[in-house]
Amino acid sequence: LFHPLDVLRFALVPEKITYLFLLFIPTGLIGLLSPAVLLPALPIFMQNLLSSFGTHSRIFYQYAAALIPFIFLSVVFSFKKLMSNKLISANRNGFIALFLLFPVMSGLYTKGPQIYFAEYIKSYPMDDIARQKDNLIRAIPKDASVIATFQFLPKLAQRHKIYSMHLVSSGRKMFTNVKYEPPMDLDYALIDFNEPGLIANFFPSEAPANMRDFIEKNNFSVFKAADDIVLFRKNYENGLK
């Protein structure tokens, strides 16, 4: 608030301008004609643009997801404005055809799933280890509280009590030096000890000790396992420590 020029210099560097462009180009930048609709999303834009963490200002990560409904809504209102123009209204079909070029071309440029869906499916075959992972997920009761490594979170996301293991391994809350204290009412922990995302980004030197301490404190025992993927259950007397 007191240093607006410094804020703008930080928020509008070339890579962040590119980020804004890539957010709006799939809908032909049309949403910018209805800025009032985008105002409720201003805190989200600020959060992403003022962060020093690079992934916050890239469209390929989850941080952009909260903006998408506002961008779509702004396009709806902008279309209403444009269709009230006599010239555009008279050439409605041509305008819509031109508009549809933008999601296609931007999809090609950013390798969007709508264009490369078959390629992505081929890259992730349902092999034996994938089936074993699914079996481990199915072994967790639907009302159970569970903490898991990244790859399992999407399939567990419909639960009310789901937590991410990366906070345990790093030992701190995200982007802070505050110690992370996992909830004490956890029932299961599903850990892939070769989880690429965990090891690459959230595995400091103290991570093994943090994970061992977490398993011991919660009295977890092995419930089921496949290779280096282990499903732990709290107070399970028949399992190995």
Side-chain angles (χ1 to χ4, degrees):
L1 290 175
F2 293 107
H3 304 280
L5 290 178
D6 289 339
V7 169
L8 286 174
R9 285 192 198 101
F10 185 83
L12 298 179
V13 292
E15 58 265 29
K16 292 182 179 178
I17 294 173
T18 301
Y19 162 71
L20 291 173
F21 179 75
L22 290 175
L23 278 174
F24 286 95
I25 196 61
T27 50
L29 306 176
I30 285 177
L32 298 175
L33 296 174
S34 297
V37 182
L38 294 167
L39 274 178
L42 187 60
I44 308 168
F45 279 107
M46 289 174 64
Q47 175 180 307
N48 292 349
L49 293 173
L50 297 179
S51 172
S52 58
F53 198 64
T55 54
H56 285 172
S57 52
R58 292 180 194 159
I59 64 164
F60 305 103
Y61 295 89
Q62 72 272 20
Y63 307 105
L67 294 167
I68 292 172
F70 296 98
I71 292 172
F72 268 81
L73 192 60
S74 70
V75 171
V76 171
F77 277 81
S78 296
F79 249 92
K80 185 179 179 182
K81 285 181 183 178
L82 289 167
M83 288 303 166
S84 64
N85 180 282
K86 289 182 180 179
L87 180 63
I88 293 175
S89 182
N91 298 278
R92 178 189 179 95
N93 292 338
F95 174 76
I96 291 174
L98 179 64
F99 171 77
L100 291 176
L101 278 175
F102 283 95
V104 173
M105 297 306 292
S106 63
L108 286 169
Y109 177 72
T110 60
K111 283 207 162 189
Q114 73 272 32
I115 308 294
Y116 293 89
F117 190 70
E119 183 180 315
Y120 290 140
I121 290 292
K122 190 178 178 181
S123 300
Y124 297 95
M126 192 65 177
D127 56 14
D128 181 60
I129 195 67
R131 281 186 282 272
Q132 292 189 61
K133 288 176 183 179
D134 268 353
N135 289 336
L136 292 176
I137 290 173
R138 282 194 286 269
I140 306 172
K142 291 191 180 297
D143 57 348
S145 174
V146 58
I147 189 167
T149 46
F150 290 123
Q151 62 189 287
F152 302 109
L153 296 178
K155 286 200 171 185
L156 295 166
Q158 76 278 12
R159 296 165 182 267
H160 290 291
K161 293 184 177 181
I162 173 70
Y163 306 92
S164 179
M165 195 67 198
H166 80 284
L167 298 172
V168 172
S169 65
S170 63
R172 295 182 299 276
K173 294 182 179 180
M174 287 288 284
F175 311 117
T176 73
N177 290 318
V178 179
K179 184 180 179 183
Y180 175 70
E181 297 289 351
M184 295 305 295
D185 63 344
L186 287 168
D187 301 310
Y188 290 85
L190 181 53
I191 304 171
D192 181 348
F193 286 98
N194 283 320
E195 166 74 62
L198 190 72
I199 294 169
N201 301 302
F202 299 97
F203 213 79
S205 58
E206 62 271 20
N210 289 342
M211 295 175 80
R212 278 194 293 268
D213 185 59
F214 163 76
I215 291 167
E216 289 170 7
K217 276 186 177 179
N218 283 273
N219 196 29
F220 278 124
S221 298
V222 176
F223 183 58
K224 290 178 181 291
D227 197 53
D228 290 331
I229 307 155
V230 185
L231 177 61
F232 294 93
R233 181 178 173 182
K234 179 175 278 189
N235 302 325
Y236 181 59
E237 296 179 357
N238 297 328
L240 296 169
K241 292 292 183 185

